[in-house]
Amino acid sequence: MKFGSMPKNIVSCSTFIVFALFFISFDKVLAQPRLDTLQDNAIILKSANNFTDPTNRSWEGIPSIVSTKDMKQIYVAWYSGGKNEGPNNYVTVSVSVDSGSTWKSDKLLVFPKNSYSRFFDPAMWRDENDEIWLYYTCVYGPKFWDMKGGVYAMKISWKDDTIHNSIPIRISDGVMMNSPVFVKEKNVSLFPISVWRLFNKDFESLPSVKDGTFIKVLKKNNNVEDMGHVEHYGLIPALADSLRTYDEHQIVQTSEKGDFLGMVRTRNGIYYSESNDYGQNWSYPKPFTATGPTTSSRIHLSRLLSGNLLLIINNSNKRNNMTVFLSKNGGKSWPFKLFLDHRDLVSYPDASQSDDGLIHVSYDRDRYNDRDIYYLNFTEDDIIHGREQNIKRSMVSSGKVSNK
């Protein structure tokens, strides 16, 4: 397969100054003020430096993608930094202005101010007003969530070969691994935000923090978003601790009558839950078996412009056989499929659709060796007819290819 070249333009950088925290132990971290009491918590770079240069990365992965409605820009965000998923992680965003053929690398980076922080799990979204948002999680220390950080949001746009951004705003506790969903009938946006119960001792030390697979809501007021205020809305019932892992849940509206489908990652693969009241109350999750085997890894689930549902999963018990499925009946069956990548170590798909109907996909492969971030596009008709030959592919980033 052919991959586009990856130019990198160095532009000036600016920073948002933050208070420095120099506490190593997690107990001391818990004693500090919440991150939302700080004016900001990140350095925003507009090009790579010595610490973030792609040639110096020991690993990278976990991408998210969004296209503008006219496909003039396609953004892919992922994270890297440090030796693995832990301190010194940072989020990077690349952009394509030629329909995914080539990529302008590291046009925006969210970088920790100190060596004990991490910025991770980016999610990108085009809202109902066609504004582009970048979300990410921030914590102090080596934890996946330290019960003091949380989900941040910034609006981004493209002008003069530069990604312009708003000041990051903390919107919630927890972690958000997938994009929000706008519900037209209610004029609200629903956010799949989770607080992972992975560290029971930590929850005992801070009982006011509740864990759960939450649905949070952003209400609209005269079409003006107060992105700093998301409220509790719904909750997918928690599975037993023996099953639960990083929830990484996603929800999708399946009808205008308030029907929703949700999917959750577990230790035994993907489980599903349903709601018939616009996502407030949910059924107890059950194993998702409608497309065959699944593995414990993030999936992508969304609704296309046609009203049909899009699902991208590892159609296997391992992280291989990346496959896209299509449902025309609200998720009751998934008869149409298109193979994307048969190889091992492929994971974490995400997708976005532009107004011309083109479906844009990102995913990673072999995070610690090849360190590949892929871009694909295809149409809904390609899925229905299984036309693998119509898939357009390019490499967003790779440890095998210099981005300079």
Side-chain angles (χ1 to χ4, degrees), residues 286-329:
K286 299 177 181 179
F288 177 71
T289 60
T291 59
T294 63
T295 193
S296 182
S297 188
R298 190 185 75 178
I299 56 96
H300 172 81
L301 176 67
S302 61
R303 192 180 191 187
L304 299 174
L305 296 172
S306 64
N308 296 330
L309 301 188
L310 182 77
L311 173 66
I312 311 177
I313 62 171
N314 293 104
N315 194 207
S316 170
N317 293 316
K318 301 192 300 181
R319 291 189 175 186
N320 57 21
N321 289 341
M322 184 78 71
T323 308
V324 55
F325 289 88
L326 187 76
S327 173
K328 291 187 174 184
N329 56 8

Side-chain angles (χ1 to χ4, degrees), residues 123-143:
M124 304 204 75
W125 183 45
R126 186 177 79 241
D127 69 16
E128 73 284 0
N129 298 316
D130 297 315
E131 302 280 4
I132 303 297
W133 292 89
L134 170 64
Y135 303 91
Y136 58 88
T137 299
C138 173
V139 301
Y140 286 106
K143 300 291 186 178

